[in-house]
Amino acid sequence: MTTLDIDRARGELARFLELTELYRPPDPPGVMVLNSSLSNRGSQSDIIASAHVVEKTLDRVLPRWKTEVPSDEGR
């Protein structure tokens, strides 16, 4: 098994967070849009590609991350 490049992994996680950040797009010049919808900063295809890389990283760092999700029961 190869060692994990921590700096690269952090960069990929940061990129995923940037792409998935929600923001309100600016109004077109000279137009006022009364809409409260939010958009992701990245395109759907970029988010999917980034999510794939992040998932692979999580698989290496936390192999059981998909199955060991804490339950919300009892809250």
Side-chain angles (χ1 to χ4, degrees):
M1 178 182 245
T2 60
T3 26
L4 179 69
D5 183 337
I6 294 172
D7 289 334
R8 181 170 184 231
R10 285 181 178 156
E12 292 294 345
L13 289 168
R15 175 167 165 66
F16 179 75
L17 292 174
E18 287 172 12
L19 291 170
T20 57
E21 179 184 11
L22 292 174
Y23 79 109
R24 185 178 179 284
D27 294 335
V31 177
M32 183 179 204
V33 178
L34 300 174
N35 189 342
S36 61
S37 66
L38 299 174
S39 297
N40 291 107
R41 294 231 178 249
S43 68
Q44 184 174 357
S45 61
D46 287 343
I47 291 170
I48 291 169
S50 181
H52 180 73
V53 173
V54 168
E55 187 172 309
K56 293 296 181 190
T57 300
L58 288 172
D59 286 343
R60 288 191 61 198
V61 176
L62 302 167
R64 295 183 301 265
W65 71 274
K66 290 179 186 176
T67 57
E68 291 185 354
V69 176
S71 172
D72 284 341
E73 293 178 21
R75 280 189 178 187

